[in-house]
Amino acid sequence: MNVCVVGAGAIGGWMAVKLALAGHAVSVLARGATLLAVQQNGMQLVSGGETLNAVVTASANATNLDTPDLLIIAVKAPGLRDAALSVKSLIGPHTLVLTAMNGVPWWFFDRADRPLNGTRLATIDATGDINASIPAGNVIGCVVHAACSVDAPGVIRHKMGQRLIIGEPGGGLSARLAALHDALAAAGFEPETSDDIQRDVWFKLWGNMTMNPVSAITGATTDKILDDPLVREFCSNVMREAQAIGNTIGIPIAQTPDERHAITRKIGAMKTSMLQDVEANKGIELDALVAAVAEIGQKVGVATPYTDAMLGLTRLMARGRGLY
């Protein structure tokens, strides 16, 4: 395939290198130090004690790149609108647009068999530019279960996990989904096809929509958050609100917050991605992870006082640092 990756950071870079090493022609849309590094040295992936080198084309301008068969959008949510506008010209009639991002995506309510079908969330796509730039029929949703970081521009470190859950936003399975699954598997990922990708998005969100903001506010790793009974119960109350919303929109979660906390605890002293962004003075993904949940709650009549409190506190902290 001809593959283009938008967002050559931790996850996008990891995917770019593995796909390039599998024999695909890979390009990245990049800027600044990342653009220069990839143009000069290609991309490197540090994984399992070895460093893998891949030849990857890089450009700051989408018009310099060919129309890809697969366009992977792996930017952080605050940069999604600009990314969507920049790649509009790259999307051909048969281009698959794989959204490898955290939080609630703009296509979340593209399900005719569920409440709020066709709803566009102001917290995700206030101007409508994202939806207008990326045709709904080209999108394949993706939930990433992997941990990666950026050692230096163009140098990615893979820490754990190879799992990618992919699915059609409209539900069900398809031939193009099966073909993408096979291509990802051949590149060394552990892909799974889902007939309900919204369920997978919501379940992952349910687990990280509390740890991320609370860690960003407090500077604490996940083990310390869970060790404090008051903070842990606050997180549980936010999760119960999200469960109530999920029940209303047709995505129930059978797990209890304590059961999910037990899974998080097994990871150990994890520094969340939002905390890493705060420490790096980068914009945070607060809207996709928290504000969107509160907005959905308003639309379906589910009160979210704990979610609102977490949103307000995190937003205030981030605005004070110029990160939101």
Side-chain angles (χ1 to χ4, degrees), residues 41 51 70 80 87 96 111 125 132 156 217 221 243 288 310 314:
N41 306 310
T51 300
L70 176 64
L80 178 57
V87 302
L96 293 184
R111 282 288 300 249
D125 190 14
I156 310 301
I217 296 170
T221 50
Q243 273 185 299
M310 186 174 67
T314 311

Side-chain angles (χ1 to χ4, degrees), residues 104-111 115-132 134-137 139 169 198 292 295-296 299:
V104 178
W106 78 94
W107 47 260
F108 191 69
F109 290 109
D110 287 355
R111 282 288 300 249
L116 302 183
N117 175 41
T119 296
R120 301 297 170 193
L121 298 174
T123 47
I124 302 300
D125 190 14
T127 63
D129 287 335
I130 299 170
N131 186 58
I134 302 175
V139 174
Q198 283 87 347
E295 183 180 357
I296 297 169
K299 290 184 180 299

Side-chain angles (χ1 to χ4, degrees), residues 105-323:
W106 78 94
W107 47 260
F108 191 69
F109 290 109
D110 287 355
R111 282 288 300 249
D113 59 342
R114 286 222 172 104
L116 302 183
N117 175 41
T119 296
R120 301 297 170 193
L121 298 174
T123 47
I124 302 300
D125 190 14
T127 63
D129 287 335
I130 299 170
N131 186 58
S133 299
I134 302 175
N138 293 67
V139 174
I140 296 289
C142 179
V143 178
V144 179
H145 289 282
C148 301
S149 60
V150 177
D151 282 1
V155 181
I156 310 301
R157 181 174 297 274
H158 173 251
K159 299 174 181 178
M160 61 180 291
Q162 303 278 359
R163 188 177 175 215
L164 301 174
I165 307 175
I166 58 174
E168 297 278 1
L173 301 175
S174 65
R176 67 178 190 173
L177 195 63
L180 180 58
H181 170 278
D182 292 347
L184 293 172
F189 299 103
E190 296 174 2
E192 301 172 21
T193 54
S194 172
D195 62 359
D196 187 356
I197 192 66
Q198 283 87 347
R199 177 192 60 206
D200 301 293
V201 167
W202 192 254
F203 188 68
K204 182 182 180 183
L205 174 68
W206 189 64
N208 65 20
M209 69 173 289
T210 56
M211 294 296 118
N212 270 286
V214 171
S215 69
I217 296 170
T218 63
T221 50
T222 52
D223 59 326
K224 292 180 179 178
I225 292 171
L226 293 174
D227 282 344
D228 188 302
L230 295 178
V231 178
R232 185 177 64 249
E233 182 59 18
F234 174 80
C235 292
S236 294
N237 281 323
V238 174
M239 295 170 77
R240 291 183 187 107
E241 290 174 355
Q243 273 185 299
I245 293 170
N247 290 337
T248 305
I249 62 174
I251 311 176
I253 293 175
Q255 244 182 10
T256 66
D258 283 340
E259 288 170 340
R260 187 56 177 256
H261 294 330
I263 294 171
T264 302
R265 210 179 259 288
K266 291 178 181 178
I267 301 173
M270 181 179 68
K271 184 178 286 190
T272 70
S273 60
M274 192 177 289
L275 175 55
Q276 292 179 54
D277 285 341
V278 169
E279 292 179 344
N281 213 34
K282 295 180 179 178
I284 61 171
E285 298 184 290
L286 188 60
D287 286 342
L289 290 175
V290 183
V293 176
E295 183 180 357
I296 297 169
Q298 291 173 356
K299 290 184 180 299
V300 296
V302 173
T304 56
Y306 288 97
T307 304
D308 293 347
M310 186 174 67
L311 172 60
L313 290 168
T314 311
R315 186 171 60 193
L316 187 62
M317 177 278 299
R319 281 177 172 163
R321 296 178 178 226
L323 307 180

Side-chain angles (χ1 to χ4, degrees), residues 32-94:
T34 300
L35 173 65
L36 185 62
V38 177
Q39 287 177 332
Q40 292 180 343
N41 306 310
M43 295 195 73
Q44 290 79 47
L45 178 64
V46 182
S47 180
E50 62 177 335
T51 300
L52 306 172
N53 296 279
V55 176
V56 175
T57 301
S59 177
N61 192 334
T63 59
N64 295 330
L65 302 174
D66 294 332
T67 299
D69 303 300
L70 176 64
L71 177 64
I72 299 173
I73 299 182
V75 298
K76 292 291 183 74
L80 178 57
R81 177 180 176 271
D82 287 345
L85 291 171
S86 70
V87 302
K88 186 176 181 179
S89 63
L90 277 177
I91 302 173
H94 303 295

